Amino acid sequence: MTIRLFVSDLDGTLVDPDKELTPGTIAAVARLRAAGVKFTVISARPMSGVMPLLGPLALDGTVAAFNGGILFRRDGTILSRHTVPADVAQGVVRLARETPAAIWVFADDRWYATDGTGAHTDGERVSAAQEPVVVDDIATVIDRADKITFVDDDAPRLHALWERCHAAFGTQATIAQSQTYYLDVTAPAANKGDGLAALALANDVPLDAVAAIGDQANDLPMLARAGLAIAMGNAPDAVKSRAGHVTLSNDRDGVAHAIDTLILGSE
C-alpha cells in the first residue's frame, strides 16, 4: 500500500546530535507534504520539549509526547493523557533507589529531579525545554507521573535495573530505554506501538499505510506495527535488525534521506 502517513521519533532521529532540526530535514518534510503524505512526530519528550519543533515543521495536527502517553496539538489542546499507576511508580522508584541511578519525574507539565546537576541534565534542559524543579523527596510527585526516568551511564547496571523493573511491573507499565543512558517508565498505553495506532487513527490512515522511523528500543513497538519500518543509521544493531530499512544517521539528515529515497523515490 502507498504510504500516506510518516511518523518520526525525535531525539536520535529527526533532530541532529545538537537536538536541532536541520534545514535539510525541514525541507524534506515540506516535500513529503507537497507529495500528499501526512507527517507527525512521537517522542519520549514531554509536551514542552515537543512544542518548539512544531512551528518549524508547520505541524498543527495531532502529535504525541511521553511515547504516546499524551496526544496533543500545537495550540495546547490535550486529546488524551495516560499517567503511571501510583503503585507502579512507587515500586519502580524503590527499585531504582537500590542503585546510583538519578531519578527524574515528569508530572504536572514539569520536570522534577533530586539533583539538578547530573551528567545528562544539560541535554535534558534542551530536550524538555525547561529547567528541572529540584525536590528533596521525589515521592511527593510520583503519584501523578506522566513519565519516570532513571539515568545511568553504566549500561549493564541500567539494563539490570530494567530487568528488575520489568519482572516486577512489566505487565502494569511500559518500561523501555529511550537512550542508552535513560530508562523510562510510562503508563501501559504510553508506548509507541499504541501511540502510532492513535496517530494513524487521528489521521484516518490504516497502519499498513504508515511509515515509522526511530533509533532506540522504545521505538521498536511502533516499528513492529508500521507498514514501513525504518531504523536510523545511528541505531543499535538490535533496532536495525527489527526494521525493514536502515537510513543514514541523524548527523547526516537520515530522516530526509529516508523520505527522499524510500517514500518519494527522488534519489
Side-chain angles (χ1 to χ4, degrees):
M1 183 178 287
T2 301
I3 295 301
R4 294 167 48 197
L5 173 66
F6 191 100
V7 180
S8 179
D9 168 52
L10 292 183
D11 294 295
T13 302
L14 191 67
V15 298
D16 67 14
D18 293 324
K19 300 182 182 293
E20 296 179 352
L21 289 167
T22 67
T25 294
I26 294 171
V29 171
R31 288 194 295 275
L32 187 74
R33 283 213 190 88
V37 181
K38 297 177 181 181
F39 178 85
T40 191
V41 297
I42 185 169
S43 177
R45 290 185 182 194
M47 284 177 58
S48 60
V50 178
M51 197 74 79
L53 304 179
L54 304 184
L57 293 168
L59 245 178
D60 291 315
T62 303
V63 298
F66 296 131
N67 298 328
I70 291 181
L71 297 183
F72 70 102
R73 298 196 184 105
R74 181 157 53 133
D75 64 5
T77 301
I78 295 177
L79 304 173
S80 64
R81 188 170 206 151
H82 304 277
T83 57
V84 183
D87 57 335
V88 173
Q90 294 162 4
V92 294
V93 166
R94 279 196 301 270
L95 291 173
R97 281 176 170 156
E98 299 171 2
T99 77
I103 302 172
W104 296 343
V105 173
F106 296 84
D108 311 323
D109 298 320
R110 300 306 307 269
W111 164 30
Y112 297 96
T114 53
D115 181 359
T117 61
H120 297 286
T121 305
D122 283 345
E124 190 64 19
R125 283 185 170 96
V126 176
S127 294
Q130 61 174 284
E131 287 290 317
V133 177
V134 179
V135 294
D136 292 330
D137 185 5
I138 210 74
T140 59
V141 295
I142 60 173
D143 286 357
R144 54 187 185 275
D146 291 296
K147 181 178 75 167
I148 302 168
T149 298
F150 305 126
V151 188
D152 195 338
D153 279 313
D154 188 313
R157 188 167 61 204
L158 192 64
H159 182 72
L161 178 58
W162 173 85
E163 289 181 327
R164 292 197 297 277
C165 289
H166 196 268
F169 302 104
T171 62
Q172 303 169 64
T174 300
I175 304 169
Q177 288 187 244
S178 58
Q179 298 292 334
T180 56
Y181 40 81
Y182 288 165
L183 176 61
D184 292 341
V185 180
T186 52
N191 67 84
K192 289 193 178 179
D194 288 347
L196 184 82
L199 291 172
L201 182 63
N203 285 278
D204 193 26
V205 174
L207 283 172
D208 57 0
V210 178
I213 187 166
D215 73 305
Q216 287 294 331
N218 67 325
D219 296 313
L220 290 174
M222 74 171 179
L223 296 183
R225 297 183 70 173
L228 179 65
I230 309 165
M232 294 296 293
N234 49 287
D237 288 342
V239 174
K240 291 178 181 177
S241 68
R242 303 275 290 276
H245 300 271
V246 177
T247 186
L248 301 178
S249 60
N250 70 321
D251 61 357
R252 298 176 62 196
D253 281 351
V255 171
H257 180 74
I259 288 171
D260 288 333
T261 60
L262 298 174
I263 310 299
L264 302 181
S266 59
E267 289 188 5

